[in-house]
Structure formats: C-alpha cells, structure tokens
Amino acid sequence: MRHVLSWFAIALLAASGAALLPLCCAAFAAEPEVINGIAAIVNGDVITYSQVRELSAPREKLLRSQYSGAELEKGLKEAREAALKDLIDRRLIIQAFQKEKFEIPNHFVEEQVRGIIKESFGGDRNTP
C-alpha cells in the first residue's frame, strides 16, 4: 500500500509540474517591469517613475482603448515622455519661484481653497 501511495505522489507531482511548466517559463521570459525608480533629477529634486505613470495614466488608458501592438507601444512611450517633460518643467518653475523667494499671498491661497470647497463639497467646509 505504501509503495502505491509513493508512486501516486510521484505521478501527481510530475503531472502538476508539467502543467505549471509553461506558466513558470512565461514568467521568467517576460520583460522585467520597473516598479519604481528615479526617472530624472532636476537640480537635486527627484522625479520617480511612479510620478510619471500617475501623470500619464489617463492618457495611457485612452491609448489602450484605441490602439494595440506597435502603435500602442509607441503611444505609451510618447505619453510617458511627455509626462516626464511636464514634471521636469513644473519642477524647474517651482525651483525658480523658490530661488527668487517669491511668495503666494495668503488671500490667493484662501480664495483657491474656498473655490475647491464650493466645487467639491457644496460649500460646506466641515464635510468629511
């Protein structure tokens, strides 16, 4: 009986290994995907790949619904490059603003906050 169970276990392992082999091979053959890292450094300020993806996500979603294959890859690359350029430009503007020691007047900030509260929360500042 013990001999039969061991042969059964060996056969079961061989069958499951053969069934999982294509999945394992596909996982190792796939291109490695960068989860996060440094996309650019602007005068000491870091821009990460996740920031680029966050900015390009709406455009990428639209591209995925319209294209496939090489056209999709080209569009995704262009969208990410445009997002990176935009983030670099924003960082340079902020750095120039800080270098010149400009300040945003408090009344301007408060006006913007009131506008957001009115638009997003119906004017109720205490809405959670």
Side-chain angles (χ1 to χ4, degrees):
M1 177 73 167
R2 200 171 203 190
H3 186 65
V4 172
L5 283 176
S6 65
W7 279 106
F8 177 73
I10 291 171
L12 183 62
L13 285 172
S16 63
L20 293 175
L21 185 63
L23 293 174
C24 293
C25 291
F28 288 113
E31 290 281 329
E33 181 180 342
V34 176
I35 302 300
N36 206 359
I38 297 173
I41 299 176
V42 182
N43 297 324
D45 290 346
V46 173
I47 297 172
T48 64
Y49 288 116
S50 61
Q51 290 171 313
V52 173
R53 280 194 303 271
E54 183 180 333
L55 185 60
S56 68
R59 177 79 176 134
E60 288 186 30
K61 184 177 178 182
L62 180 65
L63 289 169
R64 289 181 200 284
S65 70
Q66 294 177 341
Y67 301 104
S68 63
E71 285 185 54
L72 174 61
E73 291 302 317
K74 181 182 176 199
L76 292 175
K77 183 178 178 186
E78 290 172 357
R80 290 176 185 153
E81 287 173 356
L84 178 59
K85 183 182 180 312
D86 189 36
L87 287 169
I88 291 170
D89 289 344
R90 290 178 188 186
R91 193 67 54 147
L92 288 170
I93 290 168
I94 290 169
Q95 288 174 355
F97 189 86
Q98 291 171 337
K99 181 180 177 185
E100 296 297 324
K101 298 185 179 165
F102 291 128
E103 290 185 22
I104 298 174
N106 287 337
H107 68 84
F108 181 79
V109 174
E110 190 60 36
E111 184 179 313
Q112 293 292 11
V113 169
R114 277 193 300 270
I116 292 169
I117 291 171
K118 182 178 180 182
E119 183 178 304
S120 300
F121 303 104
D124 185 3
R125 189 175 268 250
N126 296 320
T127 300

